[in-house]
Amino acid sequence: MKTKISEMLTLAAALSLILTINVINVESVRAEVSENYSIEHVSHKVGILYNGYIVINDTINLSGTPPESFLIGFPQEYGASLVSCKAYNPSNLDQTFQVTLNVQLGDRNFYGVKVDLLGRSPQVLTVIFVLSNSLISRDAQNKSLYTVNFPAYPVLTKTASMCNVSITLPKGATYVNGTVEGLNYTKLELSALTYNPANITFMLSRRQYMSIHG
């Protein structure tokens, strides 16, 4: 009798283990299916306004099966300057997506946001970030010079085949120098979780000024 009870307990434990393994396998398959996509192209547009605010427009072209949610961000030091963020389908401006801020992205070096695609699976996604003028400063000796800090590229969780970057200065401003190649540059095979803060310096004429402190 004791032997039969022992055998039944062993069988029950085995069945429980099999069920647990099956659940794990199902979850793994679901995860793989949801990640079955690639990032073909990213357009990273950085616009600097006269009030010193920075508007970043990241438009991402996906291929394959789009995920249920999409993670994107920038180096952690820009997180405190984030004013607002929104996401939408550029092919259908009425189709907007919920955004969750301050999501862990890789490690503590990054500030992330999660875009909930709500099962609508767009092939193209636009995320807009607005950063405050805390990232721009005016030269103490030459009041015509301004330096602005910004993320050179978006931070993604997958490699992007290509990222085109364009920077728009306030009207009448002239590019002086910076840590990037200029106002337009391209990165092939932008690796996942690329940490790349950047800055540029530009000049305004004496009759122009930006409404920032400093």
Side-chain angles (χ1 to χ4, degrees):
M1 184 67 177
K2 291 182 178 179
T3 302
K4 289 185 177 180
I5 293 175
S6 177
E7 290 176 351
M8 291 176 65
L9 290 174
T10 301
L11 179 60
L15 288 173
S16 177
L17 179 60
I18 290 171
L19 289 173
T20 301
I21 292 173
N22 284 339
V23 169
I24 292 173
N25 286 338
V26 168
E27 293 301 322
S28 298
V29 170
R30 286 176 180 172
E32 289 174 1
V33 170
S34 67
E35 295 297 318
N36 188 24
Y37 72 96
S38 59
I39 302 174
E40 295 296 323
H41 178 262
V42 178
S43 171
H44 182 63
K45 297 180 179 179
V46 180
I48 303 165
L49 308 182
Y50 266 109
N51 61 3
Y53 277 56
I54 303 168
V55 179
I56 298 176
N57 179 318
D58 286 324
T59 297
I60 304 100
N61 290 73
L62 306 174
S63 64
T65 304
E68 296 178 359
S69 61
F70 187 83
L71 296 173
I72 188 172
F74 36 71
Q76 180 65 46
E77 55 260 44
Y78 300 113
S81 300
L82 181 63
V83 175
S84 66
C85 176
K86 67 178 182 179
Y88 59 89
N89 182 345
S91 300
N92 179 5
L93 299 183
D94 292 328
Q95 189 178 69
T96 59
F97 306 106
Q98 181 178 345
V99 174
T100 302
L101 303 179
N102 200 15
V103 174
Q104 184 174 356
L105 197 64
D107 57 39
R108 66 183 62 186
N109 289 325
F110 303 108
Y111 180 100
V113 302
K114 183 177 76 170
V115 181
D116 188 350
L117 300 180
L118 305 174
R120 288 182 275 185
S121 304
Q123 294 296 324
V124 183
L125 171 68
T126 293
V127 183
I128 304 291
F129 298 98
V130 178
L131 305 179
S132 74
N133 59 13
S134 61
L135 297 172
I136 191 167
S137 59
R138 193 176 189 182
D139 189 274
Q141 280 71 44
N142 187 343
K143 297 294 186 179
S144 296
L145 292 178
Y146 296 85
T147 298
V148 60
N149 294 284
F150 64 97
Y153 307 103
V155 175
L156 306 166
T157 57
K158 281 196 169 192
T159 296
S161 298
M162 177 183 291
C163 180
N164 289 326
V165 183
S166 62
I167 303 169
T168 303
L169 301 178
K171 186 177 180 180
T174 303
Y175 173 81
V176 177
N177 56 42
T179 59
V180 291
E181 303 166 21
L183 298 180
N184 296 278
Y185 52 93
T186 298
K187 175 71 173 178
L188 298 178
E189 297 299 321
L190 175 63
S191 299
L193 302 178
T194 294
Y195 178 84
N196 204 331
N199 68 72
I200 60 170
T201 297
F202 59 90
M203 177 181 289
L204 287 172
S205 68
R206 293 182 179 180
R207 294 183 179 181
Q208 294 176 296
Y209 66 93
M210 298 184 70
S211 55
I212 63 170
H213 297 288

